[in-house]
Every structure is written in C-alpha cells, then in structure tokens.
Amino acid sequence: MITREEAERLRQETEIVPVAKVIRSGQVLEITGDLLLIGDVNPGGTVKATGNIFIMGALKGLAHAGTEGNIEAVIAASVMKPSQLRISDCINRAPDHVPEEESRVMECAYISDSQQIVVDRLQVLMKKRPSLTRFEGGL
C-alpha cells in the first residue's frame, strides 16, 4: 500500500510530458518526469527533466536530464549539437571543433561505465538502457 501523495509523485516521475514549442535563448523549460519536446532548443535555451529528454528537433542549447540524481537518464535528439549536456551530476560541453559535414543520424547521450557522458548513435541506446522501453508483447 502507498499513499495518494506517493502514487502521485510516482506517476509524475514516470510520466512522459509532451511539449510542442521552440525553446529560445534565455528560456528554461523544467519538467518532472520524461520530456518529449517536439521542437528545437536554440543556443542559450535550456531544457531540464528529472527523467529522460527526447527532442524531436535540433538541440543547440543546454539539456540537463536526471536533475534529481538519475544517472540512468538519457538525452536523445534528432540533431545533437548542444552547447552543454548534463546528466545527473556529469557535465559534457560542446566539442571545440565541429565537423562541417551535417550528420543526419539521431544521437543519444548517456553516462558510460567510466562515469563520462558519451554521445552515440540512437541504435546503441537499447543495449545500454534496456529498461528504457516499457513495451511488452509479441508472440
């Protein structure tokens, strides 16, 4: 048995919150739970979530997932060009040199076994975080 307050807190922490907007310079979007942003995060903009961050657009600002210490949190974006990535207490700034070639591959960021933020192709995410999906079923 759990209290109503505990049940509400658990629901908020596991809920995916969809937001459709562009986060502009100086704006901060903070979410309890997982964030699904349909839009861009422009340079100078910030998105924060206690859970995971999924961006269907360009991430060019700051993203902070797992703000309350969740080291299993991930950040995924259609275009991953952040000014800074944060997951829990780990920080990764933008690289000094960005290749001229535009990447059309969705990417994700997660904390590796060596406690560093790693940016990789989205396809590796299911191997690194198999508990990320709640899909069950099939034959």
Side-chain angles (χ1 to χ4, degrees), residues 2 11 21 34 45 49 55 59-60 81 86 88 95-96 110 113 115 120-121 123 127-128:
I2 62 173
R11 183 191 63 78
K21 69 185 291 186
D34 292 347
I55 300 173
L59 171 57
K60 296 180 181 177
K81 293 187 174 186
R86 296 181 188 178
S88 186
D96 293 328
Y110 58 91
D113 295 336
Q115 301 303 305
D120 207 340
R121 295 177 310 125
Q123 289 82 352
K127 290 181 183 175
K128 298 294 182 180

Side-chain angles (χ1 to χ4, degrees), residues 1 6-8 16 24 35 44 46 48 57 66-67 69 71-72 79 86 89 97 106-107 116-117 119 122 133 135 137:
M1 299 290 285
E6 290 173 321
E8 179 61 22
I16 297 176
R24 302 192 187 289
L35 169 63
T46 301
K48 297 180 179 183
T67 57
I71 63 170
E72 294 294 310
V79 177
R86 296 181 188 178
D89 295 330
H97 174 69
M106 289 187 71
E107 292 181 304
Q116 300 291 316
I117 294 179
V119 176
L122 189 63
T133 182
F135 176 74

Side-chain angles (χ1 to χ4, degrees), residues 41-102:
V41 180
N42 288 340
T46 301
V47 290
K48 297 180 179 183
T50 59
N52 303 301
I53 296 175
F54 306 103
I55 300 173
M56 301 302 293
L59 171 57
K60 296 180 181 177
L62 185 148
H64 187 179
T67 57
E68 294 180 355
N70 180 1
I71 63 170
E72 294 294 310
V74 299
I75 300 169
S78 298
V79 177
M80 182 77 81
K81 293 187 174 186
S83 59
Q84 187 179 90
L85 292 175
R86 296 181 188 178
I87 300 175
S88 186
D89 295 330
C90 293
I91 299 174
N92 185 352
R93 64 183 182 86
D96 293 328
H97 174 69
V98 179
E100 294 294 321
E101 180 180 311
E102 277 288 319

